[in-house]
């Protein structure tokens, strides 16, 4: 190509003029193109992209050559076009490269800034993680080992070594280590976050937070401040207590013993399955919901009473389970916010224990009660048991006997103390005696002691080894028999001199013994009451002397079965008027003892007292009936008189003169007084008959005082008497019959108004007592002499004593009766020139209706 091989200078060119010109022009153009191409090649060789100015310079040279009239061939034009295209592409590429470099440079600046921020954040994070109050375990993936970042204080008890730190069980408390292991497993496997408070083995609390992100699993341990430590310790303690509480409830629920928890007010809060089964509930929740009680009300009251003085109740109680009564060892503890109880069924244990105790007690009692000395030696010839008779027989101290001496030593001591006779050949005699431990059959020996006693000794070998020695003191037996005979004679002499008749019958129905008083009381001959006489014979004789004879029952009890042999008491009257009181007592040996006492005088006195009492009761009943009848008969005409008197006072009835009006008013007032007396008599008659009932309700003190004051206001105003009410310390209410209390206060005020001087002051006071309320009415009258205080509450005994009116004498009697019906009391404080004060004390809550005093 021309561009590849440019012509050298002076090279000849063939052709004409035009050809010469053309050739020169071509050569010139080719030189230019070659120069441009060489420059472009250098530029392209020296740089990845050519400068766009080169393209513009080549284009300018080409245009200049054309303007100079140079001829350009088609190939050259194509070459020029290719050059121009290449240069344009290079220009466009250069522009794009410049823009891209600018954008890249800006991105690099931004990335460098972001990288600087990330490095700063990383340094801050590393600084925070490397603090000495936290440590983080990071799992990047499931297959990589965890990384540890940060440290914890030395006093927290955490190891610095990575392997030692990851072995949680080595430096954490067992419960904390187990909880942390479970939480970490749940975090890594199921992405469950957690927040725990754990405790190291040195007692330092740590907070642990576990979180899982898309690519990492983080577990952070944080050391706490003192306040946080306290709070963490409380959390740990709360977790421990909650765990222990759940464990205890689980244990109690698994037990076969009924257990329960109660609130402070005694309601059931929780029971176990055994409790629900015992009360026949569907489940524990149903037992609590339905408040089914395991123990009876009396047992629960006993537990509550015990808790008032002691928090722990321990006692054996009985209750009914599935229709059977069982014994339970109940332990109930009462705390500040409730109580907890546990019941252990001891029915089987109690049966076995009672049976064992009965057996041991029976065995010990049997041996101890025996007059025969008994000693039991084991296979080693050691003393294992002895009764009181053995110790008494040989006079040995209990310390020596309880030291379990062997049989040979015991024999040597008895010999040294001179309690057994000296034998000619002691060693051979002792060996012969101890041969009982190798014998099969029982051996019997007779010992004659130095003190004159004769002892029968029986050596009884035991099947499992050992020997039971029985020492029968025949001398004591003879002495006992002698004393028994003496006692029988003394008893016979005593019975013969008793005023009471005594007869003893054997189980065969025959008379064993009797005293002379027995025959005398029943009028029997001496031969009829001899020993061995059958009870049927005595019955035939005694039935003739009593119309309603009890001997048929005596015969049945003496000759009957055991269920008929029981104590019997009663009395019978003989045909001669004597009354005998009898008692029949079965004796342990199958005999029956009968005693008879003459109570004729006592019965006659009792009958006389009963007749007199019946007459008095009948008289009192007649009196009450008469009073009630007369009172009711008086009330009806009095009501008519009062009604017609009020009608006469009305203007519509007609005009009345002044004198007539005064008469009508006098009739009305007198009728009202008479009606009051009749009502008082009716009230007292009702009280005496015991049929008055109080209408107990809340009595408002202020309202009751006001009502009583209003009733007596006219009478006080008539004599210019002032009424002072002192109720500052009075309760608002108390329990009683408001109508009767108002009647009591009215009678007291009326009585005071009768004795109070003109223009004086009556004081009605009420105050609260520890056990109730107290009313008192004081007047400044002349007072009562001491001789009248005993009769002041008697009925129908009017006393003027300076009073304005003479009444029926029922006011204070009614007061006393009504106050005592409330369970209260009445007293009077009076004296010369001190006036009179009547004080009535009421209980806050009446304990019951009491009979009023006469």
């Amino acid at each position: 190509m021309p561009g590849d091989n440019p012509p050298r200078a002076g090279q000849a060119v063939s052709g004409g003029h035009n050809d010469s010109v053309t050739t020169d022009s071509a050569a010139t153009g080719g030189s230019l193109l070659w120069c441009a191409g060489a420059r472009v090649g250098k530029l392209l060789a020296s740089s990845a992209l050519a400068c766009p100015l080169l393209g513009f310079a080549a284009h300018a040279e080409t245009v200049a050559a054309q303007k100079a009239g140079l001829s350009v061939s088609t190939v050259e034009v194509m070459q020029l076009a290719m050059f121009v295209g290449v240069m344009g592409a290079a220009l466009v590429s250069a522009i794009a490269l410049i823009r891209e470099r600018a954008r890249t440079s800006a991105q690099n600046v931004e990335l460098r800034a972001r990288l600087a921020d990330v490095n700063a954040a990383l340094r801050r994070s590393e600084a925070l993680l490397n603090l000495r109050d936290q440590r983080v375990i990071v799992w990047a993936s499931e297959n990589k080992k965890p990384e540890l970042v940060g440290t914890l204080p030395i006093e927290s008890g955490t190891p610095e070594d990575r392997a030692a730190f990851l072995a949680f069980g080595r430096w954490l408390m067992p419960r904390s280590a187990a909880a942390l292991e479970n939480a970490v497993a749940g975090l890594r496997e199921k992405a469950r976050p957690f927040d725990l408070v754990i405790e190291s083995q040195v007692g330092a609390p740590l907070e642990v937070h576990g979180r899982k992100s898309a690519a990492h699993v983080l577990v952070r341990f944080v050391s706490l401040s003192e306040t946080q430590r306290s709070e963490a310790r409380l959390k740990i303690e709360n977790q421990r207590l909650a765990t222990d509480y759940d464990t205890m409830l689980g244990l109690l629920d698994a037990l076969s013993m009924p257990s329960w928890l109660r609130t402070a007010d005694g309601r059931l809060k929780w029971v176990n399955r055994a409790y629900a089964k015992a009360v026949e509930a569907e489940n524990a929740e149903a037992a609590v919901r339905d408040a089914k009680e395991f123990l009876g009300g009396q047992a629960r009251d006993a537990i509550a009473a015990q808790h008032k003085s002691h928090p722990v109740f321990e006692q054996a109680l009985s209750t009914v389970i599935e229709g059977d009564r069982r014994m339970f060892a109940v332990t109930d503890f009462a705390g500040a916010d409730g109580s907890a109880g546990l019941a252990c069924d001891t029915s089987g244990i109690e049966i076995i224990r009672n049976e064992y105790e009965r057996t041991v007690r029976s065995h010990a009692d049997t041996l101890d009660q025996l007059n025969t000395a008994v000693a039991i030696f084991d296979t080693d010839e050691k003393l294992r048991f002895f009764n009181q008779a053995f110790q008494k027989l040989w006079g040995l101290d209990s310390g020596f006997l309880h030291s379990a001496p062997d049989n040979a030593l015991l024999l040597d001591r008895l010999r040294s103390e001179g309690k057994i006779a000296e034998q000619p050949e002691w060693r051979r005699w002792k060996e012969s005696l101890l041969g009982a431990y190798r014998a099969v059959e029982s051996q019997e020996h007779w010992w004659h002691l130095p003190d004159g006693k004769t002892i029968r000794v029986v050596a009884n070998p035991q099947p499992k080894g050992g020997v039971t020695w029985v020492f029968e003191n025949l001398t004591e037996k003879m002495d006992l028999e002698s004393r028994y005979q003496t006692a029988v004679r003394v008893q016979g002499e005593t019975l013969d001199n008793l005023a009471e008749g005594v007869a003893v019958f054997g189980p065969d129905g025959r008379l064993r013994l009797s005293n002379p008083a027995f025959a005398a009381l029943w009028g029997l001959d001496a031969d009829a009451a001899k020993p061995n006489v059958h009870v049927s014979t005595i019955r035939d004789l005694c039935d003739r002397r009593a119309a309603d004879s009890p001997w048929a029952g005596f015969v049945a009890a003496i000759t009957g079965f055991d269920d008929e042999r029981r104590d019997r008491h009663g009395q019978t009257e003989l045909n001669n008027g004597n009354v005998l009181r009898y008692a029949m007592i079965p004796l342990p040996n199958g005999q029956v003892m009968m005693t008879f006492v003459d109570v004729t005088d006592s019965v006659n006195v009792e009958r006389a007292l009963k007749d007199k009492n019946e007459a008095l009761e009948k008289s009192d009943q007649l009196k009450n009936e008469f009073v009630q009848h007369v009172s009711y008969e008086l009330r009806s005409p009095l009501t008519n008189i009062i009604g017609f008197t009020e009608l006469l006072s009305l203007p519509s009835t007609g005009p009345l003169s002044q004198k007539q009006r005064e008469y009508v008013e006098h009739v009305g007032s007198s009728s009202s007084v008479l009606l009051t007396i009749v009502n008082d008599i009716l009230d007292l008659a009702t009280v005496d008959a015991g049929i008055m009932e109080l209408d107990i309700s809340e009595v408002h003190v202020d309202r009751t005082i006001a009502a009583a004051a209003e009733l007596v206001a006219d009478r006080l105003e008539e004599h210019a008497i002032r009424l002072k009410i002192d109720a500052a310390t009075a309760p608002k209410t108390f329990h009683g019959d408001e109508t009767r209390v108002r009647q009591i206060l009215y009678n007291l005020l009326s009585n005071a108004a009768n004795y109070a001087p003109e223009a004086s002051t009556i004081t009605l006071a009420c105050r609260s007592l520890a056990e109730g309320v107290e009313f008192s009415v004081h007047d400044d009258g002349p007072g009562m002499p001491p001789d009248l205080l005993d009769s002041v509450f008697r009925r129908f005994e009017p006393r003027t004593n300076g009073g304005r009116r003479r009444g029926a004498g029922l006011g204070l009697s009614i007061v006393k009766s009504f106050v005592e019906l409330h369970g209260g009391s009445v007293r009077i404080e009076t004296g010369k020139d001190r006036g009179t004060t009547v004080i009535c004390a009421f209980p806050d809550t009446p304990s019951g209706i009491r009979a009023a005093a006469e």
Side-chain angles (χ1 to χ4, degrees):
M1 290 181 61
D4 296 334
N5 296 308
R8 293 185 297 273
Q11 184 177 357
V13 181
S14 64
H17 179 70
N18 293 335
D19 293 336
S20 228
V21 174
T22 304
T23 301
D24 293 337
S25 301
T28 304
S31 298
L32 292 172
L33 290 174
W34 183 84
C35 291
R39 287 196 294 258
V40 171
K42 290 181 179 179
L43 288 172
L44 292 175
S46 62
S47 178
L49 295 175
C51 181
L53 294 177
L54 297 177
F56 286 110
H59 179 66
E61 290 180 353
T62 304
V63 173
Q66 291 177 354
K67 287 183 178 180
L70 299 177
S71 177
V72 181
S73 64
T74 304
V75 177
E76 294 174 346
V77 171
M78 291 177 63
Q79 292 177 349
L80 179 62
M82 290 177 62
F83 175 75
V84 171
V86 170
M87 295 305 293
L91 179 62
V92 172
S93 298
I95 294 171
L97 179 60
I98 292 170
R99 292 181 177 177
E100 185 64 25
R101 288 183 63 186
R103 186 168 57 253
T104 301
S105 177
Q107 290 178 351
N108 288 339
V109 172
E110 183 181 356
L111 289 175
R112 281 194 293 272
R114 291 178 61 186
L115 182 59
D117 294 339
V118 170
N119 289 333
L122 179 60
R123 286 193 295 274
R124 286 194 303 272
S125 298
E126 290 178 350
L128 291 174
L129 291 176
N130 288 323
L131 293 176
R132 293 188 60 82
D133 60 351
Q134 64 180 354
R135 198 169 194 183
V136 182
I137 305 176
V138 183
W139 282 272
S141 64
E142 296 295 337
N143 298 326
K144 289 186 177 181
K145 294 183 178 180
E147 297 181 5
L148 269 67
V149 182
T151 59
L152 290 169
I154 298 176
E155 59 269 15
S156 64
T158 57
E160 290 291 335
D161 183 67
R162 177 180 179 279
F165 184 81
L166 292 177
F168 301 134
R170 296 183 180 179
W171 59 276
L172 287 177
M173 298 297 287
R175 185 176 303 184
S176 298
L180 182 58
E181 292 285 355
N182 294 332
V184 171
L187 176 65
R188 298 185 64 186
E189 296 173 2
K190 300 181 181 179
R192 288 201 299 259
F194 66 87
D195 295 286
L196 292 178
V197 177
I198 61 175
E199 186 178 9
S200 66
Q201 291 185 356
V202 299
L206 298 171
E207 279 191 358
V208 184
H209 308 283
R211 300 292 185 271
K212 185 174 184 179
S213 64
H216 297 84
V217 175
L218 304 175
V219 176
R220 185 167 73 115
F221 296 79
V222 181
S223 178
L224 305 177
S225 64
E226 188 61 32
T227 302
Q228 291 173 327
R229 286 195 189 105
S230 299
E231 182 179 356
R233 288 191 183 96
L234 291 177
K235 288 183 179 178
I236 292 173
E237 186 65 22
N238 183 51
Q239 293 173 2
R240 183 182 299 113
L241 291 176
T243 304
D244 293 344
Y245 179 77
D246 294 338
T247 303
M248 290 301 297
L249 287 187
L251 173 63
L252 291 176
D253 194 53
L255 291 177
S256 60
M257 298 179 287
S259 57
W260 58 89
L261 297 177
R262 296 182 183 274
T263 59
D265 57 358
R267 292 182 294 103
L268 286 174
K269 181 171 64 175
W270 178 88
V271 298
N272 64 349
R273 288 178 293 177
Y275 185 102
K277 182 180 178 181
V279 299
E280 300 181 357
E282 182 179 355
N283 49 43
E285 291 77 11
V288 174
R289 183 184 64 249
D290 299 337
K292 290 192 174 183
E293 293 294 346
F294 173 72
L295 297 173
Q298 187 175 0
R300 297 198 304 275
D301 293 341
I303 294 174
Q306 176 71 17
H307 285 332
K308 292 180 180 179
S309 58
H310 196 271
V312 179
F313 174 88
E314 289 181 309
Q315 189 175 334
L317 300 175
S318 65
T319 187
V320 177
I321 303 297
E322 297 179 351
D324 296 331
R325 181 164 293 279
R326 301 182 186 176
M327 291 297 298
F328 286 84
V330 178
T331 302
D332 195 277
F333 174 78
D337 298 327
S339 61
L342 183 69
C344 179
D345 190 352
T346 59
S347 301
I349 297 175
E350 287 296 328
I351 293 174
I352 296 174
R353 179 186 291 112
N354 294 336
E355 185 65 26
Y356 173 75
E357 290 178 353
R358 282 195 299 269
T359 302
V360 172
R361 187 166 55 250
S362 175
H363 179 72
D365 291 344
T366 301
L367 294 180
D368 280 339
Q369 296 301 322
L370 288 177
N371 293 322
T372 302
V374 178
I376 301 176
F377 291 82
D378 60 11
T379 55
D380 297 329
E381 301 184 11
K382 299 287 186 181
L383 179 63
R384 295 304 177 190
F385 174 81
F386 62 92
N387 63 353
Q388 295 179 6
F390 179 84
Q391 182 179 4
K392 181 180 179 181
L393 173 64
W394 301 114
L396 299 173
D397 59 280
S398 60
F400 172 73
L401 294 176
H402 284 99
S403 64
D406 58 20
N407 205 339
L409 179 62
L410 180 64
L411 291 175
D412 290 338
R413 179 161 181 174
L414 292 177
R415 177 193 179 191
S416 64
E417 294 182 359
K419 295 181 179 179
I420 58 177
E422 186 67 35
Q423 301 296 329
E425 297 183 8
W426 171 257
R427 185 180 299 276
R428 181 179 296 178
W429 179 83
K430 184 172 66 173
E431 290 178 355
S432 174
L433 192 66
L434 297 179
Y437 289 93
R438 297 178 296 277
V440 178
E441 300 292 335
S442 298
Q443 298 180 3
E444 182 177 344
H445 306 274
W446 290 84
W447 293 0
H448 299 283
L449 304 184
D451 58 357
K453 295 178 181 177
T454 301
I455 304 297
R456 176 175 174 264
V457 182
V458 178
N460 184 23
Q462 297 297 322
K464 295 183 179 181
V467 175
T468 299
W469 295 87
V470 179
F471 303 87
E472 185 178 2
N473 187 354
L474 299 180
T475 306
E476 186 177 358
K477 179 180 179 181
M478 295 174 61
D479 182 59
L480 289 176
E481 290 179 354
S482 175
R483 283 186 290 173
Y484 173 75
Q485 295 297 333
T486 303
V488 170
R489 287 195 298 272
V490 170
Q491 182 183 14
E493 293 295 332
T494 303
L495 290 176
D496 289 345
N497 290 279
L498 286 178
E500 293 83 1
V502 178
V504 178
F505 292 88
D508 56 355
R510 298 190 175 275
L511 184 65
R512 290 288 183 266
L513 62 90
S514 64
N515 62 351
F518 170 73
L521 291 175
W522 285 99
L524 301 177
D525 296 334
D527 295 338
K530 286 184 177 180
N532 293 325
V533 176
H534 199 270
V535 66
S536 59
T537 303
I538 299 177
R539 171 193 172 182
D540 294 338
L541 296 174
C542 293
D543 285 345
R544 302 172 188 173
R545 291 165 174 79
D548 187 11
S549 176
W551 278 92
F554 296 164
V555 172
I558 293 171
T559 61
F561 296 101
D562 291 341
D563 56 349
E564 297 181 0
R565 294 171 54 82
R566 60 181 184 274
D567 292 354
R568 295 187 182 184
H569 301 273
Q571 67 182 28
T572 182
E573 186 173 355
L574 304 183
N575 296 333
N576 59 4
N578 293 339
V579 178
L580 301 180
R581 181 172 295 167
Y582 61 84
M584 185 174 62
I585 304 171
L587 299 178
N589 55 359
Q591 300 180 358
V592 177
M593 181 178 70
M594 303 176 61
T595 62
F596 300 90
V597 180
D598 189 352
V599 293
T600 305
D601 295 337
S602 300
V603 170
N604 291 335
V605 172
E606 182 181 355
R607 288 173 180 173
L609 291 175
K610 284 184 178 180
D611 293 341
K612 185 175 181 180
N613 185 59
E614 290 177 358
L616 290 175
E617 290 179 353
K618 187 174 181 181
S619 174
D620 186 65
Q621 182 180 0
L622 290 174
K623 180 201 71 174
N624 292 335
E625 291 177 354
F626 171 76
V627 172
Q628 292 181 15
H629 178 73
V630 172
S631 299
Y632 279 116
E633 291 297 328
L634 288 174
R635 177 177 288 181
S636 179
L638 279 176
T639 304
N640 295 332
I641 292 171
I642 294 172
F644 285 114
T645 302
E646 292 177 353
L647 287 176
L648 289 174
S649 301
L650 296 177
S652 59
T653 308
L656 296 175
S657 63
Q658 182 64 28
K659 201 67 174 176
Q660 291 173 338
R661 185 171 287 104
E662 290 178 0
Y663 290 160
V664 168
E665 291 177 356
H666 183 70
V667 170
S669 61
S670 299
S671 300
S672 298
V673 171
L674 183 57
L675 182 59
T676 301
I677 295 173
V678 171
N679 289 333
D680 290 345
I681 293 174
L682 276 177
D683 288 338
L684 290 174
T686 306
V687 171
D688 292 342
I691 59 176
M692 174 169 283
E693 295 181 0
L694 297 177
D695 184 11
I696 302 299
S697 62
E698 273 198 282
V699 179
H700 295 270
V701 173
D702 53 352
R703 187 173 64 190
T704 304
I705 291 176
E710 184 180 355
L711 292 174
V712 79
D714 293 340
R715 188 170 177 183
L716 297 178
E717 184 179 356
E718 180 182 355
H719 302 286
I721 298 175
R722 296 184 302 277
L723 176 61
K724 178 184 177 182
I725 297 176
D726 181 9
T729 60
K732 292 184 178 180
T733 61
F734 70 97
H735 289 84
D737 189 333
E738 186 171 355
T739 302
R740 299 306 178 186
V741 173
R742 184 170 61 249
Q743 189 174 353
I744 290 169
L745 296 180
Y746 169 74
N747 285 347
L748 292 178
L749 292 174
S750 299
N751 185 72
N754 190 36
Y755 293 98
E758 295 283 343
S760 63
T761 301
I762 295 175
T763 303
L764 172 59
C766 179
R767 65 189 183 97
S768 178
L769 300 177
E771 64 278 2
V773 62
E774 180 182 273
F775 291 92
S776 63
V777 175
H778 174 77
D779 64 80
D780 295 328
M784 297 182 187
D787 57 340
L788 289 181
L789 288 178
D790 295 335
S791 62
V792 70
F793 292 110
R794 294 178 185 173
R795 304 172 187 175
F796 305 107
E797 289 192 13
R799 294 162 293 276
T800 55
N801 195 30
R804 298 183 181 86
R805 299 181 181 179
R806 181 180 178 86
L810 298 176
L812 291 180
S813 299
I814 291 177
V815 169
K816 180 176 174 58
S817 297
F818 287 170
V819 171
E820 291 182 349
L821 276 176
H822 283 80
S825 61
V826 182
R827 70 180 189 275
I828 297 177
E829 295 179 357
T830 183
K832 187 176 181 180
D833 299 330
R834 291 195 297 121
T836 302
T837 303
V838 183
I839 302 171
C840 301
F842 294 87
D844 183 62
T845 302
S847 58
I849 299 176
R850 301 184 182 180
E854 289 291 338

